[in-house]
Amino acid sequence: MEALYSSAIGILTAAGIYLVLRRRTFPVILGLTFLTYAVNLFLFASGRLVRNMPPLLDETTTPTDPLPQALVLTAIVISFGMTAVIVMLALGSWLSGKDDRIDQPADDGQPREGGQS
Amino acid sequence: MNHWMILPLVVPPVVAAIIMLAARHLLSLARILSVGTVVLMVALSAGLFWFAADGTVSVYRMSNWPVPFGIVLVLDRLSALMLLLTMILSLAIVLYAIGSDWDAKGKHFHALLMFQIMGIAGAFLTGDIFNLFVFFEVLLIASYGMMVHGGGERRLRAGVQYVTYNLLGSTLFLFALGTIYAVTGTLNMADLAQKVALMAPEDSALIRVAAVLLLLVFAVKASIVPLHFWLPATYAEAPAPVAALFAIMTKVGAYAILRVYVFIFGPDVAVMGGIVGQWLLPAALITLAIGMVGVLGARSLGHLAAYAAIGSMGTLLIAVALFTPAGTAAALYYMVHSTLAGAVLFLVADMIRQGRAGEDRLIPGPALAQNGLIATLFLVAAIGMAGLPPLSGFLGKLLVLDAARTVDGAAWVWGAVLVGSLVAVVGFARGGSVLFWNTTDAPSQGEPVSSLALTATFGLVGLLVMLTVFAGPATAFLDATAAQLFDRAGMVAATLPPEAILEAAP
Amino acid sequence: MPLILIALLPFLGAFLPAVMIRGGRNAAALSAGSVTMAAFVGLMLHAPAVLRGEVITFRLDWMPVLGLNANFFLDGLGLLFAGLILGIGLLIILYARFYLDRADPMGAFYTYLLLFQGAMVGIVLSDNVLLMLVFWELTSLSSFLLIGYWKHLPEGRQGARMALVVTGMGGLALIGGMLILGQIAGSYDLTVILTQKAVIQAHPLYIPALLLILLGCFTKSAQFPFHFWLPHAMAAPTPVSAYLHSATMVKAGLFLMARLWPVMAGTDAWFMIVATTGLITMVLGALIALFKDDLKALLAFSTISHLGLVTMLLGFGTEIAAVVAIFHIINHATFKAALFMTAGIIDHEAGTRDIKRLGGLRRAMPITFVIGTLAALSMAGVPFLNGFLSKEMMLEEVTKTTWAGSPVTLSIVVTVAALLSAAYSFRFVVHVFFGPERHDYPHHPHDPGPGLWLSPAFLVVLVVAIGILPAAITGGIVASAGQAVIGAAELPYYSLKIWHGFTMALLMSVVAVVGGAALLALHGWIAPLWQRAPRPEAKVIFDAVMGACVAGARRVTTGLTNGSMTRYGAVFALTALIAGLAAWLSGTSAPPVRDMRAITPVDAIGWILLVVATLAALRLHHNRLVALVLVSIVGLVVAVTFVVYSAPDLALTQALVEVVTVLLLLLALDFLPRETPREDPMPVHLRDGAIAVTVGIAAALLTYAIQVSDFAFESISAYHLENSKTLGGGYNVVNVILVDFRAFDTYGEIIVLGIAALVIYAMTESILQSRAGRRLVDRPVKLDAAAELHPLMMVVATRVMMPIMLMVGIYIFLRGHNAPGGGFIAGLVISIAFLMQYMASGFEWAAARQRVPYHGLIGAGIIIATLTGVGSWLVERPFMTTNFGYFNLPFIEEFELATAALFDLGVLLCVFGAVMLALESFARLAHRRGERASPNAMDVDPSRDIVPDLAPNLAKET
């Protein structure tokens, strides 16, 4: 079962990386979401996997390691905030630009519209 | 227990909240609150600095739980120094932002600045590795907001890349933390330090993976090649005051490397086998080279400054990668210097853009309204970033070279640092002579720089001068700082209660 | 006056001219002059003592850690050079006042000049070599400013950059050399280093140190092959050329060689490198000088030649040669500075300094004629002028020196050089002042006012005086400087006098002078040949090299950082992969300790679902809507996984966050293109796929490695489990950790959410104000969407749900401490309840009924959370220390009111406010897209007539 679990994390990571390497903002965001799933599962598993022993003291005598759960909870919340922001950013660059590409023009010495700000 | 050390993490967010509640549409009030808070923070961190200067290590146990079970803040010489540096820089930044009306170009500049300050301060103060992650996220998300402050296509695009790259970094951070916890079962830095030091060398693989992955996370922040790609566009496109403030953000990475790879995964730790230094030094050398080459090849002011920042990180990390007290002291001196000098450079770059009606490219244009004054500032910034006399950059480089003398590969370090400065000199000379000498006779279209903005910038220059003149006391203090950082047993004993200290602790 | 003050006075006074210029050019010149004069007097007060053989010192600790200290000392050599620098400085300041044009910013000129002067004085007075380096680099910087002073001249800018690059390079080499030297000697103080000859010359690092130091000296003193920068520095105003490029800066290299002579000289390496370089430079410089038509270029190359001469003398390594070198430094400074100023006068008055266009000026400019001629003849080595004396003594030494294995070679070569230098000196006189008078000058040439000719005149007086009474005038200083150089108390025998009898040297100089005159006669013939002869042009080469460097730098930079996020991401992933792998392989791992569990059907189903959804998402990701749905399925599987492995809180959070995230992305998709174009060719997909798969495998392996291993030490969470109930007051350990043990993490976490909302809000604002915003507004109304926007059923349903969900939210919040739930989850539930109102009834309807601004909620949340934490200070406890007690609300299970709950309330408010503000921002964008504000919740309401303003839409629809 641990092997299964690990493979799942591997698959999620691979999917995430693949999508992050795309050239448009939206798939990249999806890729980051996949990576978030993967890393949350990973962090969760750092307390080792236990079935049906939630860290609720009145329900079980030998509860599982609660600390990783707390950490993952924090991680979930934070990554939610991050996702929200990058979605907004992607939206902004799409609306103020011509396309939803994620690439930057290099420092080619060409004039730039609007200059600073 | 002194409650003072928590104030940098409590006051700014509350002020930000007040700005959100009361001053959402009153820029003037927001400005007053913001400046007031930063001034307060400067005073406060100066006090904390004075308090920690004698070597006292103060520990603040959040929620009053015994170490290592709760979260602690630790104030030692190093964190006090970084805190003070942050606040002083922030003061100059906020004044410049107000003087140049940058803060009016978008919403919530000051609220975000408050959060930014809190995040950076938290990263410097926390003694808990997961809490460090949280504060990294705080300062990052605040920096996302500040980076795209004012909008504009190029800036937003750069912003997307910046955020994406750092989200990858955060993911890696969590992978590393999960591994660390899975191996050691603890998150408190001091506890980690003593436990990692006690680990059996024959079971080193996992902890090394954790350490190295974590190193990469900090390498992203510190923009070490090949993880520097986020920096040029970000710094070149970010609003000038923000770019200047980012001068401290790369240092957060350097700080974290020092804190974690001296104190926890130190060069003397059995399970680590000193691999970190072996890998960091070459990377730092390449970083220096890439940065200086970028300075030489830069076509725009923004990229000139950005690559100068990368180069200075290279020099700084060379000193860090020596992982000797002398090297660390040199690194710290150069860190203070390059933070201030880098900030000056970005602010001057903004003045030049302003004087050239937004023209960022290094091409001849009409002379600036205040050509002489700004040229002088540019010269100062260039001297600082290229590490020439008489400014502290030169002393910092001498310190680095001197510290590298005894290590193997010293020739490489010397060559890189010296040739690097030469290349930087050439790059800045080219840029400067185009900007200030090769001027057309057309009247300047840009508007002059406000006196407040100038004051803020000259304030930073003044600090550089002080750092040069008082190099003696400064280096003496930094030697003590490095010594404290390398004294693992001492730090562990100061942080953990006696019953939590394991036998045979180093 | 303390030595440090002599060195710092010019720096401190540098700002004076910049200020005084407001009071006119005389004021500026006067301020600069008085500063220099003050320093000069201060120096001269020490002169008697120094000439008595004393050494004045001043010590001040600067960076003891490094050994860089503000230590100065003044001996004969220092006195000589400092005297030259400050004395000639005064003359230059006077000269420049009348030379510079009204349009030139004279304040800046004098400021730069004083900076340079201070740096030079600093070099010659430094006792600490690191301190000397500081001043050394400062001369490069200040001369950069002086050479580029006429910023409108491109050659000025290029010349300045060239000088900076060459001398800067030397300076950096010098840093290396000095650090090594200090390392060998065990101190950076010259007074210590100079006592260590044996140690230094025996040390394996002697040669590297020597090479690096000489690189510094040769570049500074324009020795072959680094001589080429000097002629191009002539683009500077003539006062600068006279000061920097004849009298002072170019002598800094010679000074340093002289300074280190006691410990560095005397070895074969020293002789071979220094003497040979000097010789080559001397001949080459003289040869080129002969064929230069620009007066300043001629003088520049003659300077190179004379610097070579001195270098050669120092290279000989004999004490007497060193003394001669000192003597020639004095003489050259006097006549060459005078010559430069003469050239400047001619340029100034005649409007050209091209020899071909000059001639016959002796009548028009008699004073200049006298000055120029005397100085030039001294340079030629004509008797009764000081140039003759030192050249004579030099030749004397040459005859005694064996070079390249033969005793005569050197004498012959040097005689040739002397002959050449006589020739170009005569040319300076003859072709400028003699010959037929011309009337085709740009200006009408005449002698300038005394302001311009006084300075050179004074120097020429010295030239003659020294030439006639050498011992009387320069005996003392030469002796004491000589002692300083050779580092010996008693000097070798030499005599400063005109007549040494019929010596080989006399013969050689006669040959030189006569031959020089003859060669000048032939100049008309030879010059064309020379012009036609092919030879490397230094500037072309230099520019080519620099150009190549810059182009290369650009190629590297833009080649690496090409703006492609794909590349950056790939590099990131691969770096992590390789570094992690290397770390793993570098270590060893213990055998597995934990045994694996069996795979249950639930595991299998979940796994299959997850894999299928993921692969489908990859396959179909071009259709963004579908991809989004599939991703949310994966998210739900993750939530289920949490349930299965005993993490109810996580499951709840994950599920709720999933809902909100998907909502966000849906709103975003409303604007973004629905399709991701298929733009990458197959190889790209394969490449990215390969990277992704390898990284994925690595992640899987790492996870597995952790699963089979075990904690090396007991986890701190044991303590949390133990004390959660007793000390934390909660059964739900996860929640207790979140609001108590690690409440500070949660504090940071809600701050992150608050910031996120703030950022989103701020960005929405800036988008709406930008061009993009206007584009949004102009978008056409989607008619099909406009009508049935708020379906009746959904509106009713959400209304009914609202109170229930709120209750659920509150309940979850209250019980959070003991059962799955808590402020965060409650916050999400409540926000979803509100979201449903927005979705069902439309933005305006909901917004109209919104009482509190969401900004305020976030702010309030943060403040409540903070104050809860601060509250514990009242009871002398650290931030966020909790306290709790039990209460009983009717109809609801017993719950507990902990200060933690108050903190949790802050969390709730912050989360709710953040989510709502974020979605509100999106909605505002959407709203701008032309949605009509509808006063009612339901667009289509049987109990109501059709709203007029919606009529058109409906009409179109039916």
Side-chain angles (χ1 to χ4, degrees):
Chain A
M1 184 275 297
E2 276 78 1
L4 205 63
Y5 189 92
S6 309
S7 66
I9 288 178
I11 290 158
L12 289 174
T13 313
I17 296 288
Y18 175 80
L19 287 175
V20 165
L21 298 184
R22 298 303 97 217
R23 286 204 259 151
R24 305 278 169 162
T25 50
F26 192 80
V28 170
I29 293 172
L30 292 188
L32 291 168
T33 320
F34 269 108
L35 287 177
T36 312
Y37 295 147
V39 78
N40 287 344
L41 286 173
F42 176 85
L43 191 56
F44 176 60
S46 68
R48 311 307 188 280
L49 299 172
V50 180
R51 258 199 216 84
N52 311 326
M53 294 184 184
L56 303 170
L57 296 176
D58 50 356
E59 288 179 21
T60 159
T61 51
T62 59
T64 178
D65 188 341
L67 190 50
Q69 297 195 16
L71 303 187
V72 173
L73 217 146
T74 310
I76 293 176
V77 180
I78 287 175
S79 56
F80 164 63
M82 295 292 170
T83 315
V85 167
I86 193 171
V87 169
M88 190 67 213
L89 263 165
L91 203 52
S93 81
W94 155 249
L95 290 176
S96 48
K98 285 158 288 308
D99 53 36
D100 66 339
R101 290 178 188 284
I102 194 166
D103 292 352
Q104 269 276 319
D107 174 27
D108 49 9
Q110 293 314 307
R112 34 192 303 180
E113 79 293 334
Q116 284 299 297
S117 75
Chain B
M1 184 178 287
N2 87 11
H3 291 299
W4 297 107
M5 61 190 283
I6 181 118
L7 290 186
L9 312 184
V10 172
V11 176
V14 170
V15 174
I18 294 171
I19 292 177
M20 289 163 74
L21 274 168
R24 198 151 84 253
H25 306 299
L26 305 169
L27 184 58
S28 49
L29 178 55
R31 284 175 167 181
I32 293 165
L33 284 169
S34 173
V35 173
T37 316
V38 178
V39 169
L40 184 71
M41 286 300 121
V42 171
L44 178 66
S45 48
L48 291 174
F49 182 83
W50 176 81
F51 184 78
D54 65 353
T56 323
V57 178
S58 354
V59 176
Y60 194 89
R61 292 180 289 109
M62 286 294 168
S63 318
N64 203 25
W65 292 105
V67 195
F69 307 110
I71 294 174
V72 290
L73 303 184
V74 178
L75 179 80
D76 62 357
R77 288 198 181 102
L78 181 54
S79 43
L81 169 71
M82 300 310 292
L83 203 60
L84 183 59
L85 184 59
T86 310
M87 297 311 172
I88 290 175
L89 183 65
S90 311
L91 181 58
I93 300 302
V94 70
L95 291 180
Y96 185 93
I98 294 172
S100 59
D101 271 331
W102 260 110
D103 60 346
K105 287 180 179 158
K107 284 253 182 292
H108 283 320
F109 180 90
H110 292 287
L112 287 171
L113 180 67
M114 292 297 106
F115 285 128
Q116 182 77 81
I117 290 175
M118 174 215 187
I120 299 174
F124 290 144
L125 279 173
T126 186
D128 182 285
I129 195 91
F130 188 84
N131 194 240
L132 180 68
F133 164 78
V134 173
F135 275 109
F136 261 52
E137 298 305 304
V138 172
L139 69 87
L140 277 172
I141 196 161
S143 75
Y144 303 157
M146 300 194 76
M147 195 258 151
V148 297
H149 175 77
E153 184 196 354
R154 287 180 66 109
R155 185 172 296 151
L156 286 173
R157 273 175 179 261
V160 175
Q161 288 199 348
Y162 175 55
V163 177
T164 310
Y165 207 91
N166 279 292
L167 288 185
L168 291 175
S170 306
T171 313
L172 198 59
F173 204 151
L174 287 176
F175 269 107
L177 288 184
T179 317
I180 289 179
Y181 176 75
V183 174
T184 63
T186 186
L187 298 169
N188 175 282
M189 289 184 185
D191 198 26
L192 262 176
Q194 66 167 352
K195 284 178 175 169
V196 170
L198 285 177
M199 281 183 67
E202 52 272 19
D203 195 7
S204 56
L206 259 182
I207 192 69
R208 283 191 186 185
V209 173
V212 167
L213 293 186
L214 195 56
L215 180 67
L216 296 184
V217 178
F218 300 149
V220 171
K221 276 249 115 302
S223 81
I224 303 174
V225 177
L227 300 176
H228 68 293
F229 288 107
W230 62 273
L231 191 141
T234 306
Y235 279 36
E237 302 299 340
V242 177
L245 184 60
F246 282 11
I248 192 76
M249 303 264 279
T250 46
K251 308 305 183 296
V252 174
Y255 163 85
I257 292 178
L258 275 176
R259 180 67 78 190
V260 172
Y261 296 92
V262 173
F263 180 44
I264 300 176
F265 304 110
D268 57 329
V269 172
V271 277
M272 292 309 297
I275 53 171
V276 175
Q278 294 165 17
W279 297 357
L280 192 57
L281 187 53
L285 288 167
I286 299 169
T287 308
L288 173 58
I290 292 285
M292 292 321 179
V293 167
V295 170
L296 182 61
R299 283 196 180 86
S300 70
L301 200 50
H303 282 79
L304 183 79
Y307 279 102
I310 294 181
S312 68
M313 285 314 287
T315 312
L316 167 52
L317 285 151
I318 288 172
V320 170
L322 300 175
F323 286 116
T324 60
T328 302
L332 291 175
Y333 186 87
Y334 193 79
M335 162 144 46
V336 177
H337 160 80
S338 61
T339 308
L340 300 171
V344 173
L345 181 57
F346 277 103
L347 296 184
V348 176
D350 187 54
M351 295 179 184
I352 296 169
R353 289 197 198 101
Q354 193 183 331
R356 290 161 58 102
E359 176 55 74
D360 187 44
R361 286 172 299 157
L362 294 171
I363 52 171
L368 308 182
Q370 303 136 300
N371 208 23
L373 191 61
I374 297 178
T376 313
L377 273 174
F378 182 83
L379 182 69
V380 170
I383 287 175
M385 290 309 272
L388 291 184
L391 283 183
S392 36
F394 181 71
L395 305 182
K397 280 199 168 148
L398 285 183
L399 282 168
V400 175
L401 295 177
D402 192 59
R405 225 165 45 180
T406 52
V407 304
D408 42 0
W412 283 100
V413 174
W414 282 32
V417 172
L418 292 177
V419 176
S421 342
L422 178 63
V423 177
V425 170
V426 180
F428 277 111
R430 293 174 50 86
S433 64
V434 169
L435 289 171
F436 299 106
W437 284 353
N438 192 2
T439 49
T440 61
D441 297 339
S444 112
Q445 318 108 331
E447 65 273 26
V449 181
S450 79
S451 55
L452 180 57
L454 281 172
T455 316
T457 317
F458 273 107
L460 290 175
V461 173
L463 288 173
L464 279 176
V465 174
M466 303 244 306
L467 185 63
T468 314
V469 174
F470 300 107
T475 43
F477 170 81
L478 294 175
D479 273 7
T481 311
Q484 190 180 37
L485 185 62
F486 274 81
D487 173 18
R488 181 177 297 115
M491 282 297 287
V492 169
T495 318
L496 292 170
E499 65 271 17
I501 294 178
L502 304 173
E503 283 66 26
Chain C
M1 187 186 298
L3 296 179
I4 188 169
L5 197 55
I6 299 176
L8 290 189
L9 254 182
F11 289 111
L12 301 176
F15 75 96
L16 272 179
V19 181
M20 298 304 286
I21 190 66
R22 292 166 212 263
R25 308 198 295 163
N26 290 331
L30 211 60
S31 59
S34 42
V35 170
T36 311
M37 181 51 92
F40 187 70
V41 171
L43 179 75
M44 281 312 145
L45 294 179
H46 292 302
V50 173
L51 291 177
R52 276 200 307 277
E54 294 176 25
V55 174
I56 319 292
T57 60
F58 176 90
R59 311 184 71 78
L60 175 69
D61 277 2
W62 185 10
M63 276 176 93
V65 178
L66 183 60
L68 163 55
N69 292 320
N71 297 347
F72 296 86
F73 81 124
L74 179 68
D75 61 0
L77 188 63
L79 179 66
L80 166 61
F81 271 88
L84 281 176
I85 294 156
L86 293 169
I88 296 185
L90 276 171
L91 301 178
I92 294 294
I93 289 171
L94 168 66
Y95 179 83
R97 160 64 188 83
F98 296 93
Y99 181 86
L100 287 180
D101 188 74
R102 204 165 276 289
D104 298 323
M106 191 176 272
F109 180 85
Y110 282 125
T111 301
Y112 299 160
L113 201 73
L114 286 178
L115 287 177
F116 168 78
Q117 193 180 60
M120 276 310 293
V121 174
I123 291 181
V124 299
L125 294 189
S126 298
D127 182 0
N128 184 287
V129 288
L130 297 182
L131 182 68
M132 184 190 287
L133 290 174
V134 173
F135 291 117
W136 187 278
E137 294 286 13
L138 276 177
T139 57
S140 303
L141 282 174
S142 45
S143 68
F144 173 74
L145 296 173
L146 282 167
I147 298 170
Y149 175 73
W150 278 329
K151 60 196 182 76
H152 53 276
L153 300 178
E155 54 271 24
R157 298 195 295 268
Q158 291 155 7
R161 281 214 298 276
M162 189 190 275
L164 183 65
V165 172
V166 177
T167 56
M169 176 183 70
L172 291 162
L174 190 59
I175 293 175
M178 288 304 198
L179 283 171
I180 299 177
L181 192 61
Q183 192 181 350
I184 299 174
S187 162
Y188 289 118
D189 284 355
L190 270 168
T191 37
V192 179
I193 295 174
L194 290 179
T195 61
Q196 310 250 344
K197 175 170 187 172
V199 182
I200 292 170
Q201 299 198 347
H203 199 281
L205 287 175
Y206 165 73
I207 292 297
L210 178 66
L211 291 174
L212 288 169
I213 292 174
L214 286 180
L215 191 57
C217 299
F218 288 173
T219 47
K220 203 76 162 179
S221 289
Q223 293 301 294
F224 177 85
F226 308 108
H227 60 284
F228 57 89
W229 68 266
L230 186 54
H232 293 286
M234 290 300 142
T238 302
V240 176
S241 315
Y243 193 32
L244 276 65
H245 306 129
S246 75
T248 57
M249 187 176 90
V250 291
K251 297 243 170 51
L254 304 182
F255 167 81
L256 187 54
M257 282 189 271
R259 182 91 276 178
L260 295 175
W261 193 91
V263 284
M264 300 303 265
T267 62
D268 296 348
W270 171 276
F271 177 80
M272 284 314 297
I273 301 168
V274 179
T276 312
T277 310
L279 180 64
I280 298 173
T281 314
M282 176 173 156
V283 179
L284 200 71
L287 181 61
I288 300 174
L290 180 58
F291 298 103
K292 284 291 172 187
D293 291 330
D294 175 357
L295 277 182
K296 282 181 76 176
L298 183 154
L299 292 175
F301 279 101
S302 90
T303 307
I304 293 174
S305 173
H306 280 268
L307 293 169
L309 186 161
V310 176
T311 308
M312 181 184 72
L313 281 169
L314 289 168
F316 286 167
T318 63
E319 299 186 335
I320 178 88
V323 177
V324 177
I326 295 297
F327 188 37
H328 192 69
I329 287 175
I330 303 175
N331 299 336
H332 176 257
T334 48
F335 66 68
K336 187 55 63 71
L339 281 170
F340 265 110
M341 293 196 230
T342 314
I345 293 174
I346 293 166
D347 190 10
H348 202 260
E349 300 304 326
T352 176
R353 47 177 214 242
D354 180 350
I355 295 183
K356 283 195 159 28
R357 301 188 51 197
L358 292 167
L361 284 174
R362 68 184 179 286
R363 287 211 177 66
M365 309 174 71
I367 302 175
T368 319
F369 166 60
V370 173
I371 295 171
T373 309
L374 285 172
L377 293 180
S378 171
M379 176 161 76
V382 172
F384 306 108
L385 297 169
N386 60 359
F388 169 78
L389 298 168
S390 43
K391 181 173 287 187
E392 196 74 349
M393 294 167 81
M394 177 271 286
L395 293 171
E396 184 64 33
E397 290 317 301
V398 167
T399 53
K400 290 192 225 141
T401 311
T402 310
W403 181 77
S406 117
V408 289
T409 329
L410 190 65
S411 308
I412 294 166
V413 178
V414 170
T415 315
V416 171
L419 184 151
L420 288 167
S421 95
Y424 65 66
S425 307
F426 293 147
R427 181 165 182 239
F428 185 96
V429 178
V430 175
H431 287 191
V432 173
F433 293 107
F434 291 89
E437 281 184 55
R438 316 172 51 147
H439 304 287
D440 56 348
Y441 291 114
H443 306 177
H444 170 62
H446 56 77
D447 269 324
L452 271 181
W453 61 253
L454 269 178
S455 300
F458 176 82
L459 289 170
V460 166
V461 169
L462 279 179
V463 166
V464 179
I466 298 174
I468 297 167
L469 304 165
I473 297 171
T474 57
I477 184 65
V478 169
S480 101
Q483 278 168 344
V485 172
I486 64 180
E490 80 289 348
L491 286 160
Y493 171 78
Y494 67 92
S495 71
L496 303 177
K497 59 182 186 197
I498 301 171
W499 183 251
H500 290 269
F502 290 103
T503 59
M504 190 63 195
L506 183 63
L507 174 62
M508 286 160 76
S509 44
V510 171
V511 171
V513 171
V514 175
L519 185 58
L520 179 61
L522 300 174
H523 187 271
W525 290 16
I526 311 167
L529 301 176
W530 170 267
Q531 302 304 349
R532 260 185 264 107
R535 56 185 179 280
E537 192 48 62
K539 185 172 190 321
V540 178
I541 301 169
F542 179 82
D543 290 349
V545 172
M546 290 310 288
C549 289
V550 173
R554 289 200 171 140
R555 213 168 299 115
V556 171
T557 307
T558 48
L560 276 177
T561 315
N562 65 347
S564 150
M565 188 65 214
T566 310
R567 167 182 294 184
Y568 304 167
V571 172
F572 183 102
L574 290 174
T575 311
L577 177 73
I578 294 163
L581 208 59
W584 175 268
L585 297 176
S586 77
T588 56
S589 44
V593 288
R594 305 178 82 254
D595 45 0
M596 305 292 89
R597 291 185 170 64
I599 297 172
T600 64
V602 186
D603 298 330
I605 297 162
W607 189 85
I608 293 162
L609 197 57
L610 182 129
V611 172
V612 171
T614 309
L615 295 177
L618 291 181
R619 185 84 193 75
L620 306 172
H621 81 267
H622 292 283
N623 181 335
R624 296 179 168 181
L625 210 53
V626 174
L628 185 53
V629 173
L630 290 163
V631 170
S632 54
I633 292 175
V634 176
L636 292 179
V637 177
V638 171
V640 174
T641 318
F642 287 141
V643 179
V644 173
Y645 297 113
S646 342
D649 281 275
L650 284 188
L652 259 175
T653 319
Q654 173 69 36
L656 292 169
V657 165
E658 201 58 38
V659 174
V660 183
T661 313
V662 170
L663 272 171
L664 267 171
L665 284 162
L666 275 173
L667 275 168
L669 263 186
D670 217 13
F671 302 90
L672 291 166
R674 301 299 176 87
E675 283 282 321
T676 302
R678 303 170 184 278
E679 49 200 343
D680 293 332
M682 187 41 76
V684 173
H685 286 285
L686 293 177
R687 180 200 67 198
D688 299 350
I691 296 171
V693 169
T694 36
V695 174
I697 292 172
L701 290 177
L702 181 60
T703 320
Y704 190 75
I706 285 173
Q707 296 312 305
V708 299
S709 76
D710 212 339
F711 287 115
F713 306 85
E714 190 198 20
S715 164
I716 54 172
S717 57
Y719 179 92
H720 299 142
L721 288 166
E722 225 167 275
N723 303 297
S724 161
K725 179 80 204 70
T726 48
L727 302 178
Y731 291 93
N732 180 356
V733 187
V734 174
N735 182 273
V736 175
I737 292 177
L738 284 173
V739 299
D740 199 339
F741 288 108
R742 298 186 66 86
F744 200 54
D745 280 346
T746 314
Y747 184 65
E749 159 194 329
I750 62 171
I751 297 249
V752 167
L753 271 191
I755 301 172
L758 210 57
V759 172
I760 292 170
Y761 170 81
M763 287 195 59
T764 316
E765 285 297 319
S766 59
I767 290 173
L768 290 179
Q769 263 119 52
S770 68
R771 277 186 271 105
R774 285 191 290 285
R775 228 179 296 141
L776 272 178
V777 182
D778 302 342
R779 288 208 194 158
V781 183
K782 280 197 189 156
L783 295 174
D784 55 344
E788 266 293 328
L789 214 54
H790 314 309
L792 175 56
M793 286 308 298
M794 199 171 158
V795 174
V796 176
T798 50
R799 292 283 188 299
V800 179
M801 295 278 293
M802 181 84 174
I804 304 171
M805 291 196 66
L806 292 182
M807 280 309 294
V808 174
I810 294 162
Y811 172 69
I812 289 183
F813 168 72
L814 292 179
R815 69 171 220 162
H817 218 42
N818 299 319
F824 182 78
I825 298 175
L828 283 178
V829 171
I830 296 173
S831 7
I832 290 173
F834 276 79
L835 287 180
M836 297 200 306
Q837 305 307 315
Y838 274 75
M839 284 155 47
S841 312
F843 174 75
E844 290 70 23
W845 183 85
R849 284 152 188 74
Q850 170 197 346
R851 304 275 176 278
V852 237
Y854 298 125
H855 280 88
L857 285 180
I858 302 174
I862 293 176
I863 290 176
I864 290 178
T866 316
L867 290 183
T868 322
V870 173
S872 49
W873 290 351
L874 305 176
V875 288
E876 287 304 308
R877 291 270 178 288
F879 193 61
M880 288 183 163
T881 310
T882 55
N883 190 4
F884 57 90
Y886 292 89
F887 296 80
N888 209 327
L889 282 189
F891 316 120
I892 306 182
E893 72 185 45
E894 179 203 56
F895 77 99
E896 138 213 22
L897 194 59
T899 53
L902 201 55
F903 173 74
D904 226 8
L905 176 66
V907 176
L908 186 154
L909 288 177
C910 195
V911 171
F912 175 61
V915 174
M916 295 314 286
L917 182 57
L919 287 141
E920 183 197 43
S921 306
F922 277 93
R924 283 174 60 238
L925 287 177
H927 163 59
R928 286 301 190 86
R929 234 170 90 229
E931 264 180 5
R932 282 280 162 69
S934 151
N936 315 304
M938 302 169 226
D939 299 334
V940 189
D941 184 345
S943 71
R944 190 187 70 219
D945 298 329
I946 287 172
V947 184
D949 66 346
L950 284 174
N953 304 344
L954 296 175
K956 281 196 199 65
E957 206 191 22
T958 46

